Amino acid sequence: MMEELQIGLVTSVAATAGCLVERVGKDLFGMDVRFIRPPTTPLEEEVHLLAQLKSTTQTVPDPAKGWFSYQFSKRAYLEQLAKPRRNYKSILIVMTMPQNQAEWTEVTHEGLLIRRASYWRHLEGVEVSPTVDKPSVRLSTSDIFDAPTLIKLMDRVDREEKLHD
C-alpha cells in the first residue's frame, strides 16, 4: 500500500507540473516511473526523467537537522542511480510516512492531505562501496519533491544542466 500512495503522490505532483507519469511495469534498470513533459511546440522534443521510488515508515525527517538517511535494501538499487547516464537522467524519490496506515491521508472539504513528504536526490556519480550490501544515502530536508521542483528538474534536463545545485 505504501507504493500505491507514493504513485498517487508523484502522479498528482506531475499533473500539477504539466507532466505525465508512465509507470514502469517491468524492472527498467531499477527505475519505477518516467516523467514526461510534453513539448510546447511541434518542433520541440518531450523531456524525460526517470525515478526510482522508495518509501519508509522508519524515519521522521527533522528539517532543523537538514538531512536524513535512507538505507537501500539492495546494493543494486543505488548502483542503478549512481551510474552515469548519457540520455535519461534519474532521481531517487523517498516518501516518508507514518507507521499507522490510517494516518497516511486526511480528506476534508478543503482537500486531500498526505502525511509527511517526499524528498528527492540525484545520485549520478556517487561512489558505491564494494563492501556494503545495503548502502545508505543522505537526503536533504530542503529537497522536497513538489510541482515547482519537478518543473525545475525538467527544465534542467531540457537544458542538459546538472540536476542539483
Side-chain angles (χ1 to χ4, degrees):
M1 292 299 104
M2 292 167 68
E3 181 179 340
E4 291 302 315
L5 182 64
Q6 189 173 26
I7 289 291
L9 177 114
V10 298
T11 301
S12 298
V13 166
T16 303
C19 297
L20 305 169
V21 175
E22 181 179 60
R23 197 169 180 178
V24 177
K26 294 185 178 188
D27 184 17
L28 181 66
F29 313 109
M31 300 303 144
D32 299 302
V33 297
R34 179 189 340 244
F35 297 101
I36 306 165
R37 183 170 69 186
T40 55
T41 70
L43 299 177
E44 294 177 323
E45 282 188 39
E46 302 83 11
V47 179
H48 299 261
L49 177 66
L50 297 171
Q52 186 180 114
L53 305 178
K54 299 295 179 192
S55 54
T56 182
T57 60
Q58 302 305 306
T59 188
V60 180
D62 179 3
K65 186 176 179 183
W67 60 272
F68 68 97
S69 289
Y70 176 78
Q71 184 175 30
F72 290 91
S73 60
K74 295 180 182 177
R75 174 189 168 79
Y77 293 141
L78 177 54
E79 288 176 329
Q80 289 298 331
L81 290 162
K83 72 179 175 184
R85 293 178 180 274
R86 284 189 307 270
N87 299 316
Y88 296 131
K89 296 299 178 182
S90 64
I91 60 171
L92 169 68
I93 301 173
V94 176
M95 183 175 190
T96 62
M97 55 188 67
Q99 288 186 357
N100 183 353
Q101 183 177 351
E103 297 173 5
W104 290 356
T105 62
E106 180 183 335
V107 179
T108 68
H109 292 284
E110 296 296 314
L112 170 65
L113 173 66
I114 299 176
R115 295 274 188 263
R116 306 247 181 91
S118 288
Y119 304 86
W120 71 278
R121 178 148 178 217
H122 179 63
L123 293 162
E124 187 174 314
V126 168
E127 295 289 325
V128 184
S129 172
T131 60
V132 177
D133 291 330
K134 296 180 179 182
S136 295
V137 294
R138 284 186 175 185
L139 289 101
S140 171
T141 55
S142 63
D143 287 334
I144 292 177
F145 182 75
D146 58 10
T149 296
L150 182 56
I151 291 168
K152 186 167 118 177
L153 289 169
M154 296 303 260
D155 287 345
R156 287 181 175 180
V157 168
D158 193 29
R159 293 188 303 259
E160 298 180 16
E161 297 173 354
K162 291 182 179 181
L163 295 187
H164 232 223
D165 294 328

